[in-house]
Amino acid sequence: MIYVPRIGRKPAPMVADFAGHAAHGEAFVLETGHGIGGYIVLFEKDSALFIENVAIDPARHGGGFGRQLMAFAEVQAAKLGLGLARLYTNARMTENKDFYLGLGYRITGRIREAGFDRVYFEKELPAP
């Protein structure tokens, strides 16, 4: 994984409680004809959809799976009646910044949190 050397340790998503997220119905997997393409973890938090984790199989980068998962998140937000999506990424995951900006997210803050330098984003969504 390219991010471990950049950050100096495993990024927060690599040590997340996936079993807990799955048990609460917060984890979703994107299946392809060749196995799992990626996953997303999302839930309602502070009257917005919080996208806690998005990951794509490195062998499938560039295949549009990240965009599919983010579009899925926006559909879920609408189902929940939420007009705002929020997320963060590690400041050293520079590719993510451009990806989220390209999807219409805007940077709302930068903080050091839980030992990580994080960049927060949000996107206003169409009224449900």
Side-chain angles (χ1 to χ4, degrees):
M1 147 117 349
I2 63 171
Y3 297 127
V4 173
R6 281 190 204 174
I7 297 170
R9 63 182 174 148
K10 289 182 180 179
M14 290 182 71
V15 295
D17 178 14
F18 292 105
H21 288 302
H24 289 100
E26 301 167 345
F28 303 87
V29 174
L30 174 64
E31 295 184 53
T32 71
H34 305 286
I36 295 174
Y39 66 86
I40 191 166
V41 174
L42 46 88
F43 48 87
E44 185 174 349
K45 179 179 177 183
D46 299 328
S47 300
L49 183 75
F50 185 68
I51 302 167
E52 181 167 285
N53 196 340
V54 180
I56 307 302
D57 177 349
R60 293 181 167 87
H61 281 186
F65 296 132
R67 289 184 183 280
Q68 288 180 36
L69 287 168
M70 294 301 288
F72 171 80
E74 291 185 21
V75 169
Q76 294 303 108
K79 287 180 180 178
L80 294 170
L82 302 172
L84 186 67
R86 292 189 179 116
L87 58 89
Y88 66 79
T89 191
N90 190 290
R92 294 188 181 178
M93 295 178 172
T94 55
E95 301 87 349
N96 295 352
K97 177 184 167 192
D98 293 336
F99 175 70
Y100 297 130
L101 291 172
L103 293 176
Y105 284 78
R106 67 181 183 86
I107 296 173
T108 59
R110 298 172 191 266
I111 62 171
R112 181 136 181 100
E113 181 177 57
F116 296 101
D117 292 319
R118 293 181 171 160
V119 181
Y120 276 79
F121 296 80
E122 72 179 25
K123 179 180 180 180
E124 290 186 29
L125 304 173

